[in-house]
């Protein structure tokens, strides 16, 4: 009961690779395209004006709620993964969604880092490692956690126009 959303802005090849892999594994997946110069033409591509990562995040949450998904998986188009690690990721996702103890699952990522978020940003989670904060990100989030966070009144599209740091903010505010 997971909705897989790929956030695309001018990285069509990467987004299509993610989409094809999810569909080959019979996962319910879509590309949310935010203002690409030449968006992909596919029934699984939802096109928007340039609403940035934050707007795509809000749209993914809306779709997830409307269609009754229990989990939302998000990945940005600048994240690359080889076939072997993609299979490992799906195995991890399948394990996580059967747990009642996990609200947000985010793997550690490296490359293209422009900031380092130390462990103390992940309060109360001594098992989390230091993670390079990159422009793109991926995470799996339980929908009831997302809906609970709405109570705090934070509007991701308005308050974080471009959306950089949504992953850190979600992890930090959900704990």
């Amino acid at each position: 009961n997971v909705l897989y959303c790929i956030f695309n802005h001018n990285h069509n090849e990467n987004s299509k690779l993610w989409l094809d892999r999810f569909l080959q594994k019979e996962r319910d997946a879509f590309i949310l395209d935010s203002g690409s110069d030449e968006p992909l033409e596919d029934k699984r591509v939802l096109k928007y004006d340039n609403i940035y990562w934050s707007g795509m995040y809000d749209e993914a949450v809306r779709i997830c709620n409307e269609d009754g998904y229990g989990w939302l998986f998000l990945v940005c188009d600048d994240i690359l993964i080889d076939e072997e690690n993609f299979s490992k990721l799906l195995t991890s996702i399948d394990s996580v969604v059967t747990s009642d103890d996990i609200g947000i699952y985010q793997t550690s990522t490296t490359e293209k880092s422009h900031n380092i978020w130390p462990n103390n940003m992940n309060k109360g989670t001594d098992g989390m490692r230091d993670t390079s904060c990159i422009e793109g990100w991926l995470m799996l989030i339980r929908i009831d956690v997302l809906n609970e966070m709405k109570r705090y009144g934070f509007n991701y599209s308005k308050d974080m126009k471009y959306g950089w740091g949504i992953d850190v903010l979600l992890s930090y505010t959900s704990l």
Side-chain angles (χ1 to χ4, degrees), residues 8 12-13 15-16 31 33 38-42 45 47:
N8 183 44
N12 289 352
E13 289 181 22
S15 296
K16 184 73 166 111
I31 294 173
D33 189 288
E38 296 179 26
L40 291 166
E41 295 298 327
D42 188 288
V45 177
K47 299 174 193 169

Side-chain angles (χ1 to χ4, degrees), residues 2 25 38 47 80-81 97 100 102 107 110 139 170 173:
V2 179
K25 301 292 185 179
E38 296 179 26
K47 299 174 193 169
L80 299 175
I81 190 169
V97 299
D100 292 330
I102 299 174
T107 59
T110 58
M139 58 191 340
L170 281 170
T173 58

Side-chain angles (χ1 to χ4, degrees), residues 76-99:
C76 295
D77 59 9
D78 50 358
I79 298 289
L80 299 175
I81 190 169
D82 60 32
E83 189 65 42
E84 179 183 353
N85 285 307
F86 179 77
S87 293
K88 289 179 183 177
L89 177 65
L90 288 185
T91 299
S92 294
I93 289 171
D94 291 343
S95 176
V96 167
V97 299
T98 63
S99 171

Side-chain angles (χ1 to χ4, degrees), residues 30-48:
F30 291 92
I31 294 173
L32 280 67
D33 189 288
S34 179
S36 288
D37 295 334
E38 296 179 26
L40 291 166
E41 295 298 327
D42 188 288
K43 66 180 181 179
R44 293 260 175 192
V45 177
L46 308 175
K47 299 174 193 169
Y48 304 93

Side-chain angles (χ1 to χ4, degrees), residues 148-166:
E148 180 69 20
M149 291 175 67
K150 286 182 185 178
R151 291 181 348 146
Y152 294 103
F154 195 88
N155 182 325
Y156 291 95
S157 294
K158 178 176 161 272
D159 298 329
M160 296 187 73
K161 178 180 176 184
Y162 300 110
W164 298 313
I166 285 180

Side-chain angles (χ1 to χ4, degrees), residues 19-173:
L19 180 65
D20 289 345
R21 285 179 174 167
F22 284 132
L23 295 178
Q24 286 170 0
K25 301 292 185 179
E26 299 181 354
R27 307 293 171 120
D28 200 359
F30 291 92
I31 294 173
L32 280 67
D33 189 288
S34 179
S36 288
D37 295 334
E38 296 179 26
L40 291 166
E41 295 298 327
D42 188 288
K43 66 180 181 179
R44 293 260 175 192
V45 177
L46 308 175
K47 299 174 193 169
Y48 304 93
D49 292 333
N50 198 356
I51 57 175
Y52 309 101
W53 295 150
S54 54
M56 287 189 282
Y57 163 79
D58 285 341
E59 186 63 13
V61 172
R62 183 192 65 74
I63 294 167
C64 204
N65 273 310
E66 277 186 8
D67 294 342
Y69 290 95
W71 291 84
L72 176 60
F73 178 86
L74 304 173
V75 62
C76 295
D77 59 9
D78 50 358
I79 298 289
L80 299 175
I81 190 169
D82 60 32
E83 189 65 42
E84 179 183 353
N85 285 307
F86 179 77
S87 293
K88 289 179 183 177
L89 177 65
L90 288 185
T91 299
S92 294
I93 289 171
D94 291 343
S95 176
V96 167
V97 299
T98 63
S99 171
D100 292 330
D101 298 326
I102 299 174
I104 293 181
Y105 170 77
Q106 183 173 20
T107 59
S108 293
T109 54
T110 58
E111 305 298 331
K112 298 183 185 174
S113 59
H114 55 78
N115 200 354
I116 300 295
W117 297 92
N119 267 340
N120 62 13
M121 287 292 287
N122 302 307
K123 57 185 179 180
T125 60
D126 50 293
M128 293 188 75
R129 298 168 281 171
D130 290 347
T131 302
S132 296
C133 180
I134 60 176
E135 200 167 294
W137 42 273
L138 62 86
M139 58 191 340
L140 176 67
I141 316 158
R142 184 188 303 271
I143 196 64
D144 56 352
V145 170
L146 294 172
N147 291 334
E148 180 69 20
M149 291 175 67
K150 286 182 185 178
R151 291 181 348 146
Y152 294 103
F154 195 88
N155 182 325
Y156 291 95
S157 294
K158 178 176 161 272
D159 298 329
M160 296 187 73
K161 178 180 176 184
Y162 300 110
W164 298 313
I166 285 180
D167 54 335
V168 174
L169 188 63
L170 281 170
S171 295
Y172 188 71
T173 58

